[in-house]
């Protein structure tokens, strides 16, 4: 295999190709182009930011979808499901009635229609609406069907090998890692620690 040299181009081209693929086959090409990015945001696998960018002439605004590089080590199908989750936010922003900072019933309905079941815990039985929202992939749904058919050469070549940088490594030394099952935020502490996530009303689980 030829050694990869254009790391930036390869990584962003891959995400753009996947975005275009799902836009064409799931959203009938109705989603506008947006700035696709990788940026770290606490407690999030990814996020959608409406009108985050503007042209130099300030004549137009552009939305942003970012994936958190700290979580690219998850199975690729889960990472891309996060991308599509954020694409639903873009769809709702431009083609429905957006609910700022809240995952409403219209969002939940669209998610289920494309094969991603909204869940505050990321598992069956979680709340379908609310401020913090994950999802799980529906068996036989449109998302997973398109995933199975997607050319695998579209996949991004790079993952982040660190987790929160040197501070996280230092904090995690000789300590146990715990994660919130809803928002995926992490903390480190002694074994047997019992901590509650106030944002999600969930108990941190041993990772």
């Amino acid at each position: 295999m030829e050694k990869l040299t254009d790391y930036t181009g390869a990584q962003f081209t891959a995400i753009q190709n996947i975005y275009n693929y799902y836009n064409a086959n799931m959203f009938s090409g109705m989603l506008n182009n947006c700035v696709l990015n990788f940026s770290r945001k606490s407690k999030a696998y990814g996020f959608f930011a409406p009108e985050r960018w503007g042209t130099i002439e300030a004549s137009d605004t552009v939305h942003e979808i970012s994936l958190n590089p700290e979580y690219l080590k998850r199975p690729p199908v889960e990472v891309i499901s996060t991308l599509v989750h954020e694409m639903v936010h873009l769809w709702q922003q431009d083609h429905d009635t957006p609910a700022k900072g809240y995952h409403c019933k219209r969002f939940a309905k669209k998610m289920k229609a494309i094969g991603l079941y909204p869940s505050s815990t990321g598992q069956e039985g979680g709340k379908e609406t609310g401020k913090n929202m994950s999802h799980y992939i529906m068996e036989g749904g449109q998302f997973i069907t398109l995933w199975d058919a997607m050319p695998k050469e579209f996949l991004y070549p790079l993952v982040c090998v660190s987790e929160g940088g040197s501070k996280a490594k230092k904090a995690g030394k000789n300590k146990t890692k715990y994660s919130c099952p809803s928002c995926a935020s992490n903390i480190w502490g002694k074994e047997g620690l019992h901590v509650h996530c106030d944002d999600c009303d969930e108990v941190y689980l041993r990772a």
Side-chain angles (χ1 to χ4, degrees):
M1 179 181 294
E2 184 178 353
K3 181 176 175 60
L4 182 64
T5 55
D6 181 9
Y7 295 107
T8 300
Q11 187 78 348
F12 282 88
T13 295
I15 295 300
Q16 185 68 63
N17 284 340
I18 296 170
Y19 177 91
N20 293 343
Y21 172 78
Y22 275 97
N23 186 19
N25 294 285
M26 178 173 285
F27 297 93
S28 301
M30 68 190 302
L31 300 185
N32 293 323
N33 285 327
C34 66
V35 174
L36 298 172
N37 198 13
F38 297 97
S39 55
R40 291 166 175 81
K41 183 178 181 180
S42 177
K43 305 179 182 180
Y45 288 144
F47 64 87
F48 168 71
E51 301 179 343
R52 174 63 61 87
W53 296 78
T55 57
I56 294 177
E57 298 83 6
S59 59
D60 197 9
T61 57
V62 183
H63 305 318
E64 175 184 343
I65 289 177
S66 270
L67 297 177
N68 191 335
E70 299 292 353
Y71 297 108
L72 292 182
K73 289 182 289 186
R74 293 184 297 152
V77 66
E78 295 182 12
V79 174
I80 301 311
S81 76
T82 296
L83 174 65
V84 174
H85 176 129
E86 305 309 332
M87 291 172 72
V88 174
H89 282 298
L90 192 157
W91 166 84
Q92 189 173 23
Q93 179 72 26
D94 288 349
H95 302 284
D96 193 66
T97 303
K100 186 177 181 180
Y102 188 83
H103 299 79
C104 64
K105 290 183 178 180
R106 293 186 304 275
F107 176 86
K109 181 179 179 181
K110 183 66 173 179
M111 287 282 283
K112 286 185 276 190
I114 65 170
L116 296 177
Y117 207 102
S119 168
S120 59
T121 65
Q123 301 174 0
E124 293 185 20
K127 297 177 182 178
E128 297 182 13
T129 60
K131 180 180 179 182
N132 298 298
M133 188 59 51
S134 186
H135 62 263
Y136 58 88
I137 299 170
M138 297 168 62
E139 184 177 352
Q142 187 182 17
F143 170 81
I144 195 64
T145 299
L146 287 172
W147 166 263
D148 290 337
M150 187 184 78
K152 292 305 179 277
E153 58 265 27
F154 281 5
L155 286 178
Y156 45 90
L158 302 173
V159 297
C160 184
V161 296
S162 66
E163 187 170 347
S166 59
K167 289 184 179 179
K169 291 180 180 179
K170 184 177 181 180
K173 188 177 181 180
N174 299 324
K175 292 186 178 181
T176 301
K177 180 181 176 182
Y178 299 86
S179 295
C180 173
S182 179
C183 67
S185 62
N186 299 317
I187 62 171
W188 285 260
K190 65 181 181 180
E191 183 68 28
L193 194 65
H194 185 84
V195 181
H196 191 268
C197 179
D198 292 334
D199 290 336
C200 306
D201 194 27
E202 297 280 358
V203 174
Y204 278 84
L205 302 178
R206 192 180 189 281

